[in-house]
Amino acid sequence: MFKIAVFVSGGGTNLQAIIDQIQSGHLTNVEIACVLASKTQTYAQTRAEKASLPCVVVRRSDYLKLSEYDEAILDAIKPFAVDLVVLAGFLSLLGPQFIANYRQRIINIHPSLIPAFCGPGLYGIKPHQAALDYGVKITGATVHFVDEHYDEGPVLLQRAVEIRTGDTAEVLQQRVMKEAEQIILPEAIGLIAAGHVQIEGRKTIIRS
Ligand code: GAR
């Protein structure tokens, strides 16, 4: 069984999509070994509990230094011996120590078509507002590997979503979650678990 840790900070709709895909048998040979939340009382935690998944809370606000937080989350997930860390709406920064321990074994879902509308400060609802402000007609979501550079690791999957006249950032966010994020994140996990993904330099190669 391919074991994953899912890191969350908020509503957990992406976590739910992974749970649903496993429970419906569409995502096979994958087990959510643990859920790690960076805050208390997130709805993501409630979703984890409803699905009877082990959930650990390691609050970012309890640590002054990023290196201390890195150590704490490394310790927290160590017992679960996971093959992959999935950032599913995890809005805390990971430090170099954590990334070095899980090199090429961390993926993130970002709510835009990278390299557009990404980077420091652009998370959650903000990439959607930025896309509307710029006036682009298409946006979407990206699953990428995580390295030391914010939102810059090799792109694995992307899915485009149309922007419609009258969209607000909230409406667009819901459409991107439903039509892109919740599809490509479980798909990316399945591809990696099946051994179909190779990283070459800054690119990924998907073999069938
Ligand atoms: C999602 O839209 C995810 O793409 C975004 O936060 C939201 C969390 O939703 N992540 C980022 O912006 C990371 N840069 P969720 O908690 O309901 O899955």
Side-chain angles (χ1 to χ4, degrees), residues 10-15 88-91 108-111 122-124 127-128 151 173 177 181:
T13 56
N14 281 291
L15 167 65
F90 186 70
L91 302 182
N108 177 47
I109 179 86
H110 181 77
L122 283 167
Y123 58 85
H128 303 294
D151 289 342
Q173 181 181 43
M177 281 175 163
E181 296 186 31

Side-chain angles (χ1 to χ4, degrees), residues 51-166:
S52 306
L53 297 171
C55 186
V56 284
V57 180
V58 187
R59 294 198 310 176
R60 179 63 184 93
S61 54
D62 285 342
Y63 300 85
L64 271 180
K65 289 189 191 157
L66 182 57
S67 58
E68 288 166 0
Y69 189 62
D70 263 9
E71 255 174 56
I73 55 179
L74 279 169
D75 286 350
I77 67 166
K78 200 174 175 185
F80 300 100
V82 298
D83 301 296
L84 183 73
V85 172
V86 178
L87 308 186
F90 186 70
L91 302 182
S92 292
L93 191 67
L94 293 175
Q97 197 188 339
F98 186 90
I99 293 167
N101 271 269
Y102 286 90
R103 174 123 356 249
Q104 300 193 337
R105 291 194 295 144
I106 311 169
I107 57 171
N108 177 47
I109 179 86
H110 181 77
S112 75
L113 294 174
I114 287 175
F117 313 119
C118 61
L122 283 167
Y123 58 85
I125 192 91
K126 294 175 186 172
H128 303 294
Q129 191 58 57
L132 291 176
D133 291 347
Y134 196 95
V136 293
K137 303 297 183 193
I138 290 172
T139 184
T142 302
V143 177
H144 65 95
F145 283 93
V146 172
D147 63 16
E148 282 80 1
H149 307 283
Y150 205 98
D151 289 342
E152 279 185 25
V155 168
L156 177 52
L157 292 178
Q158 293 189 299
R159 194 169 170 111
V161 172
E162 204 184 336
I163 294 181
R164 298 185 193 147
T165 307

Side-chain angles (χ1 to χ4, degrees), residues 2-6 15 18-19 22 30-35 53-54:
F2 188 83
K3 288 163 75 169
I4 65 171
V6 183
L15 167 65
I18 302 165
I19 295 170
I22 292 174
V30 173
E31 177 195 333
I32 303 176
C34 72
V35 173
L53 297 171

